[in-house]
Amino acid sequence: MHELSVTESILNTVLESAATHSVSRILKIHLEVGELNGLEAEWIQYYFDVLSKDTMAAGAQIEVHRKPSEFTCHDCGEVFPLDLKSVSKVTCPTCDGKNCSLTGGSEFYIRDMEAV
Ligand SMILES: [Zn+2]
């Protein structure tokens, strides 16, 4: 379980960003999380509530947006999203090549935040 350290870095990032944009309160944070990343939305929110107490992000809502896994075709260079649960084998949509590998799906980042 790495939600605690992840949440700490999210909080630090939004507080830094808030400081440079002179906002007074952070209301909502949109997180983009790859589907292969095991981050649990409710744990992030739980840790965030604890960690953000006494900061301008206190009470902010975390919204997690799941992002499909991403593959790269080594034959033509195409990068394409793929829902691993719905297919049995990976084929490039552009050249039909099978020389593809997983290149994304476990990352996470802050897509946006709402503040006043
Ligand atoms: Zn291809």
Side-chain angles (χ1 to χ4, degrees):
M1 186 134 12
H2 57 312
E3 277 86 355
L4 180 59
S5 57
V6 164
T7 309
E8 260 179 324
S9 77
I10 293 167
L11 179 64
N12 289 337
T13 306
V14 294
L15 288 179
E16 264 170 42
S17 163
T20 55
H21 293 89
S22 64
V23 305
S24 57
R25 191 157 192 84
I26 297 162
L27 303 175
K28 200 168 188 174
I29 298 153
H30 294 272
L31 274 189
E32 194 101 35
V33 180
E35 69 172 358
L36 298 180
N37 190 311
L39 284 179
E40 295 285 348
E42 52 266 50
W43 279 103
I44 298 175
Q45 183 73 64
Y46 172 80
Y47 286 129
F48 192 87
D49 288 346
V50 174
L51 294 169
S52 67
K53 227 170 90 182
D54 304 324
T55 71
M56 66 172 80
Q61 201 192 333
I62 313 269
E63 191 157 325
V64 172
H65 303 268
R66 291 284 169 188
K67 201 164 135 339
S69 308
E70 204 172 77
F71 286 81
T72 301
C73 171
H74 298 293
D75 293 332
C76 72
E78 177 80 3
V79 177
F80 54 98
L82 195 69
D83 182 359
L84 279 175
K85 289 178 228 85
S86 68
V87 292
S88 53
K89 60 175 191 263
V90 181
T91 313
C92 173
T94 303
C95 73
D96 227 19
K98 294 184 174 47
N99 190 14
C100 309
S101 62
L102 186 67
T103 49
S106 56
E107 68 286 349
F108 80 94
Y109 57 90
I110 298 166
R111 186 171 79 182
D112 202 8
M113 74 177 191
E114 292 167 29
V116 287

